[in-house]
Amino acid sequence: MAKEKGNKVIAQNKRARHEYTILDTYECGMVLTGTEVKSLREGRANIVDGYAYIQGHEAWVDNLFIPEYTQGTWTNHSAKRKRKLLLHKLEIRKLESKVKETGHTLVPLSLYFKDGRVKLEIALAVGKKLYDKRQTLREQQDRRESDRAIAAARRKQRAV
């Protein structure tokens, strides 16, 4: 079998970008069983409820939903078990010190295959307040309106 190349996104956490201010992102591997990988190859996963944490100088992710493999037997995995994340020791130490600061948390952003291996993108984030969310939405809306106005002006110039 030929080795896979490129990235294939399995699941994304769009809600995290809305509810948190992303400070830094990290790509990490995951310790998975065979049936989990087979289930992910079918494109079935949900990371919206997931969260990452540091415990005993190790990075873990919990509440990541990978459904049981349909053709699995007694070797099947539990759908919402905690899974170990593979990061360098220095990255774990840096994240551990940042997470100890008030308000900082680790949030999974996306789950994908990179050259045949499952990767999880986690973010060091700070929760947004309601007014921050409104401000972000307002900025996006203003940006869209200005883009529309520019496009309309260009169309007008071409028509003349």
Side-chain angles (χ1 to χ4, degrees), residues 1 4 13-14 18 27-28 35 45-46 56-57 61 64 70-71 73 86 90 92-93 110 113-114 127 137-138 142-143:
M1 187 171 130
E4 291 181 40
N13 188 356
K14 293 179 182 176
H18 176 70
E27 178 184 75
C28 50
T35 54
N46 184 358
H57 303 297
V61 66
L64 202 73
T70 52
Q71 279 97 35
T73 57
L86 304 173
L90 288 174
I92 291 174
R93 284 186 188 153
S110 64
F113 281 105
K114 181 178 180 181
L137 286 172
R138 201 172 298 119
D142 292 344
R143 198 174 314 117

Side-chain angles (χ1 to χ4, degrees), residues 66-103:
I66 300 175
E68 290 187 351
Y69 183 54
T70 52
Q71 279 97 35
T73 57
W74 58 273
T75 59
N76 232 335
H77 63 279
S78 130
K80 278 201 170 187
R81 71 180 187 90
K82 72 177 192 175
R83 296 167 177 91
K84 190 174 181 178
L85 297 178
L86 304 173
L87 287 161
H88 290 283
K89 192 183 289 186
L90 288 174
E91 289 177 323
I92 291 174
R93 284 186 188 153
K94 189 196 291 188
L95 285 173
E96 192 171 20
S97 67
K98 292 283 189 180
V99 169
K100 284 182 181 174
E101 292 178 23
T102 313

Side-chain angles (χ1 to χ4, degrees), residues 19-73:
E19 293 183 355
Y20 296 95
T21 301
I22 308 298
L23 303 176
D24 203 3
T25 60
Y26 296 87
E27 178 184 75
C28 50
M30 293 174 63
V31 176
L32 299 171
T33 63
T35 54
E36 287 174 318
V37 175
K38 289 180 178 185
S39 184
L40 288 173
R41 288 206 186 282
E42 292 178 348
R44 301 165 54 207
N46 184 358
I47 64 172
V48 173
D49 296 331
Y51 61 94
Y53 57 95
I54 309 291
Q55 182 181 40
H57 303 297
E58 293 180 334
W60 296 87
V61 66
D62 206 355
N63 260 4
L64 202 73
F65 182 74
I66 300 175
E68 290 187 351
Y69 183 54
T70 52
Q71 279 97 35
T73 57

Side-chain angles (χ1 to χ4, degrees), residues 105-119:
T105 186
L106 294 174
V107 182
L109 293 180
S110 64
L111 184 66
Y112 55 94
F113 281 105
K114 181 178 180 181
D115 297 333
R117 308 221 184 230
V118 178
K119 301 289 182 180

Side-chain angles (χ1 to χ4, degrees), residues 125-155:
V126 179
K128 283 185 183 177
K129 303 280 189 252
L130 183 60
Y131 57 84
D132 289 337
K133 293 178 193 177
R134 287 185 191 141
Q135 181 66 30
T136 305
L137 286 172
R138 201 172 298 119
E139 287 171 1
Q140 288 174 349
Q141 195 172 11
D142 292 344
R143 198 174 314 117
R144 278 192 210 112
E145 286 176 7
S146 67
D147 289 345
R148 285 186 193 131
I150 291 169
R154 285 184 184 154
R155 274 188 253 121

